[in-house]
């Protein structure tokens, strides 16, 4: 399938994947964001060697998962309502969008039901925009200090995730990513031991992943640059 992209016109999905994989330094993983994309297009990315896919809706992920190979790692990257955790808890590899203690509590309960340990990232609020979900630094601290969190055995916090402001102003974006890196280090140094697995910073999308990598990203979440411009805008 050929995709229409400014700057990468008529590249195929596999070409885009291979180009990106070639660009990423060691230690940075590519999450191919497949929201709104058909199972066939995801198969093309899979054929190019891509194994980690990100979706932002629980029902969409639940529907695609059984139609695709079992060695795919599914990452939830969108705002997740508590009553929808049950649809993905049996197979999801990582929930990157944990933005409340209540949500984490439900993930833990569902993980217990499925006899699983579910990896999670704390979504940290870094953008100037009001509409973005996420925890402030103090809220993240409170969550990690709470007895509820300390008693959870079936979730593992692996790091942080953030979405920068949607702007062409590179300095703003860089500052926000730098902020997220600083938050990551602060939480790590105060709440996690070296062997805890708290080592992921998920930041960077199609238009800003190079800046994110310079600022310490370990996971970039890229949709448009692989699959072209989405018709559904979410
Ligand atoms: C859609 C989405 C992405 C990918 O955005 P692109 O600009 O298409 O690369 C990354 N992260 C989240 C949370 C998203 O919702």
């Amino acid at each position: 399938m050929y995709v229409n992209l400014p700057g990468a016109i008529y590249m195929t999905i596999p070409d885009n994947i291979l180009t990106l994989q070639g660009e990423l330094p060691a230690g940075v993983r590519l999450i191919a964001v497949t929201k709104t994309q058909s199972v066939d297009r995801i198969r093309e990315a899979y054929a190019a060697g891509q194994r980690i896919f990100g979706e932002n809706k629980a029902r969409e992920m639940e529907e695609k998962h059984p139609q695709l190979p079992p060695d795919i790692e599914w990452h939830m990257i969108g705002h997740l309502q508590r009553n929808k955790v049950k649809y993905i808890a049996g197979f999801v590899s990582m929930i990157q969008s944990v933005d409340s203690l209540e949500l984490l509590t439900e993930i833990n309960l569902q993980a217990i039901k499925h006899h699983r340990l579910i990896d999670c990232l704390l979504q940290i609020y870094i953008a100037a925009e009001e509409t973005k979900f996420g925890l402030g630094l103090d809220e993240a601290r409170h969550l990690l200090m709470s007895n509820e969190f300390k008693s959870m055995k079936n979730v593992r916090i692996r790091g942080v995730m953030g979405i920068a402001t949607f702007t062409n102003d590179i300095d703003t974006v860089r500052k926000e990513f730098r902020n997220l890196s600083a938050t990551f280090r602060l939480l790590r140094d105060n709440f996690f031991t070296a062997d805890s697995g708290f080592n992921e910073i998920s930041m960077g999308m199609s238009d800003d992943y190079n800046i994110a990598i310079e600022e310490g990203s370990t996971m970039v979440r890229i949709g448009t640059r692989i699959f072209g411009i989405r018709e559904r805008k979410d």
Side-chain angles (χ1 to χ4, degrees):
M1 169 87 68
Y2 289 83
V3 289
N4 237 323
L5 265 187
I9 298 180
Y10 304 129
M11 297 280 280
T12 63
I13 290 171
D15 281 344
N16 288 336
I17 293 271
L18 295 171
T19 304
L20 272 167
Q21 285 174 345
E23 275 180 31
L24 299 183
V28 182
R29 285 188 293 161
L30 173 63
I31 318 297
V33 175
T34 49
K35 60 189 183 193
T36 80
Q37 305 299 340
S38 69
V39 165
D40 282 345
R41 302 189 98 196
I42 299 175
R43 277 204 194 92
E44 291 190 57
Y46 182 90
Q50 182 63 27
R51 291 295 179 272
I52 315 179
F53 295 96
E55 290 280 343
N56 71 336
K57 288 182 159 48
R59 287 293 209 172
E60 190 172 337
M61 182 187 279
E62 182 197 23
E63 193 192 312
K64 288 171 175 172
H65 161 254
Q67 304 180 59
L68 286 153
D71 63 336
I72 287 176
E73 269 188 41
W74 292 96
H75 287 219
M76 174 50 63
I77 60 171
H79 179 64
L80 181 58
Q81 287 169 296
R82 269 180 286 170
N83 61 2
K84 297 200 172 147
V85 175
K86 57 178 177 284
Y87 300 127
I88 59 171
F91 65 88
V92 70
S93 286
M94 180 178 275
I95 297 177
Q96 298 205 359
S97 44
V98 173
D99 57 4
S100 72
L101 181 60
E102 292 71 27
L103 175 59
L104 194 61
T105 303
E106 176 64 16
I107 296 169
N108 187 58
L109 283 175
Q110 292 295 331
I112 291 168
K113 272 193 195 164
H114 290 275
H115 311 286
R116 298 190 66 218
L117 177 66
I118 298 182
D119 280 346
C120 295
L121 302 181
L122 296 181
Q123 183 172 351
I124 304 293
Y125 180 90
I126 53 170
E129 293 156 24
E130 282 292 325
T131 54
K132 296 279 195 284
F133 293 101
L135 299 157
L137 176 56
D138 280 344
E139 289 173 295
R141 275 205 192 100
H142 276 113
L143 185 156
L144 294 170
M145 279 188 299
S146 69
N147 290 329
E148 293 101 305
F149 169 67
K150 287 176 189 159
S151 70
M152 293 178 195
K153 298 273 186 290
N154 290 59
V155 289
R156 185 165 62 150
I157 305 289
R158 298 290 316 277
V160 297
M161 183 270 252
I163 305 170
T165 302
F166 185 71
T167 171
N168 289 326
D169 179 5
I170 291 177
D171 292 340
T172 297
V173 171
R174 186 180 294 283
K175 211 167 67 194
E176 291 172 357
F177 286 151
R178 199 165 283 181
N179 223 325
L180 185 59
S181 280
T183 300
F184 164 79
R185 288 191 299 272
L186 205 148
L187 296 177
R188 181 193 60 195
D189 296 348
N190 283 287
F191 297 99
F192 295 92
T193 54
D195 63 352
S196 66
F198 187 85
N199 48 27
E200 302 286 355
I201 306 178
S202 172
M203 59 185 186
M205 306 179 16
S206 288
D207 292 333
D208 56 23
Y209 69 94
N210 283 314
I211 306 173
I213 290 168
E214 286 168 13
E215 297 301 333
S217 176
T218 65
M219 290 181 179
V220 291
R221 310 177 307 269
I222 299 185
T224 309
R225 193 164 284 268
I226 296 169
F227 298 102
I229 292 163
R230 286 179 297 276
E231 281 170 28
R232 202 177 85 204
K233 284 238 112 182
D234 59 7

